[in-house]
Amino acid sequence: VSDASGCSMIAVLHTGAAKFPQNLLSRSRQAVSLLFPAGVLKGFSSIVSRKLASHGFGASMAAMSSFPPQRYHYFLVLDFEATCDKPQIHPQEIIEFPILKLNGRTMEIESTFHMYVQPVVHPQLTPFCTELTGIIQGMVDGQPSLQQVLERVDEWMAKEGLLDPSVKSIFVTCGDWDLKVMLPGQCQYLGLPVADYFKQWINLKKAYSFAMGSWPKNGLLDMNKGLNLQHIGRPHSGIDDCKNIANIMKTLAHRGFIFKQTSKPF
């Protein structure tokens, strides 16, 4: 029941219970129970719950209570796609740069960074590369260089509060290639510095093997199969691979797994 301002009288009785004299409170509750059958009140409670959930309260509380807390406030899921061919071309260049910001308490995606990158040494994508990644020439032509994308990553990290020393975050990749080989190798070739936040990460393959007791030889496909998860999107799409990584992490976290850094310090 609502008054002209939209305030529920039932809500008032619940939230203001501490302020009511006991005899008045008891009589008010009796009056409400006579006016409204139990089913109506139950329905009202359901509406309130949905309203809270729509603002993130219900989902967050349920998620936080369903698995143990992680060591990090945020996980930054990353999966590069790069120029490639058979035989392999050198140097390889990053052409897709996606990051998902995963909340360490709820394991839900809070923010996304996603850009395509213009290759400069081998600007023309090979047919093999397009077939593997689904990235066509028009998706990289005219896009920012790696240096410009790295600058935008830093701006995004700052905007998301990830550069605050009190906020613990770590990158997560499917394997060590992205941050041990690809990014430092291309930055060295181009004479670019590598930000410190790229120098520690969690290899999801190692985390999965610790949690499940088996090594995923085929990467995401094996991990999804081992956890009975449906594969999301297209294999070797950077942004889709990130979504699969996030889904696997969420599933492992709900099983009680605590993620730890797997990379060795630089």
Side-chain angles (χ1 to χ4, degrees):
V1 181
S2 300
D3 61 14
S5 65
C7 294
S8 168
M9 295 303 293
I10 297 172
V12 169
L13 287 174
H14 279 289
T15 58
K19 299 177 183 179
F20 272 73
Q22 286 301 313
N23 61 332
L24 290 179
L25 181 60
S26 176
R27 286 158 64 184
S28 298
R29 281 175 174 162
Q30 289 174 5
V32 168
S33 65
L34 289 172
L35 286 170
F36 304 103
V40 173
L41 292 178
K42 185 176 179 182
F44 175 80
S45 177
S46 176
I47 292 169
V48 171
S49 297
R50 288 199 300 273
K51 286 289 186 182
L52 287 171
S54 71
H55 290 285
F57 293 110
S60 298
M61 291 303 293
M64 282 189 280
S65 63
S66 61
F67 57 85
Q70 296 291 329
R71 297 184 172 194
Y72 296 92
H73 297 115
Y74 296 101
F75 296 105
L76 306 176
V77 179
L78 177 148
D79 190 272
F80 295 137
E81 298 304 324
T83 53
C84 53
D85 203 2
K86 282 191 173 181
Q88 189 58 273
I89 57 176
H90 297 284
Q92 282 188 276
E93 300 171 83
I94 295 168
I95 54 175
E96 185 180 6
F97 204 128
I99 307 172
L100 299 181
K101 179 188 176 188
L102 204 64
N103 187 302
R105 293 174 302 164
T106 65
M107 300 305 285
E108 299 291 343
I109 299 167
E110 284 195 355
S111 181
T112 301
F113 178 93
H114 186 213
M115 293 189 71
Y116 291 99
V117 191
Q118 170 86 58
V120 294
V121 182
H122 300 287
Q124 196 70 28
L125 302 183
T126 64
F128 174 83
C129 182
T130 293
E131 183 180 351
L132 180 70
T133 66
I135 299 172
I136 62 174
Q137 193 65 41
M139 295 165 72
V140 297
D141 284 345
Q143 295 301 312
S145 66
L146 180 63
Q147 180 177 358
Q148 292 170 320
V149 171
L150 288 173
E151 290 169 357
R152 295 190 190 181
V153 168
D154 203 66
E155 292 169 0
W156 177 79
M157 295 275 287
K159 179 175 71 73
E160 295 293 327
L162 298 166
L163 301 185
D164 184 335
S166 66
V167 175
K168 292 185 67 178
S169 65
I170 190 168
F171 279 90
V172 183
T173 57
C174 184
D176 291 321
W177 175 82
D178 300 81
L179 294 177
K180 188 175 183 179
V181 177
M182 187 61 238
L183 182 63
Q186 189 178 357
C187 284
Q188 183 179 23
Y189 184 89
L190 296 172
L192 301 174
V194 178
D196 285 342
Y197 46 71
F198 286 126
K199 295 180 180 180
Q200 50 275 321
W201 64 89
I202 295 169
N203 178 344
L204 184 64
K205 291 180 182 179
K206 290 182 180 177
Y208 177 90
S209 69
F210 297 152
M212 302 296 289
S214 63
W215 183 260
K217 294 180 181 178
N218 295 313
L220 293 174
L221 295 177
D222 280 358
M223 288 187 272
N224 277 327
K225 184 177 179 181
L227 295 169
N228 296 314
L229 298 175
Q230 198 74 22
H231 190 85
I232 300 169
R234 184 189 196 284
H236 301 295
S237 157
I239 190 65
D240 287 347
D241 283 353
C242 283
K243 292 174 184 177
N244 281 287
I245 292 171
N247 200 29
I248 290 165
M249 291 184 69
K250 182 178 180 179
T251 303
L252 291 176
H254 275 279
R255 293 185 177 203
F257 185 74
I258 306 296
F259 290 92
K260 303 172 186 176
Q261 178 178 330
T262 63
S263 64
K264 294 180 180 178
F266 272 52

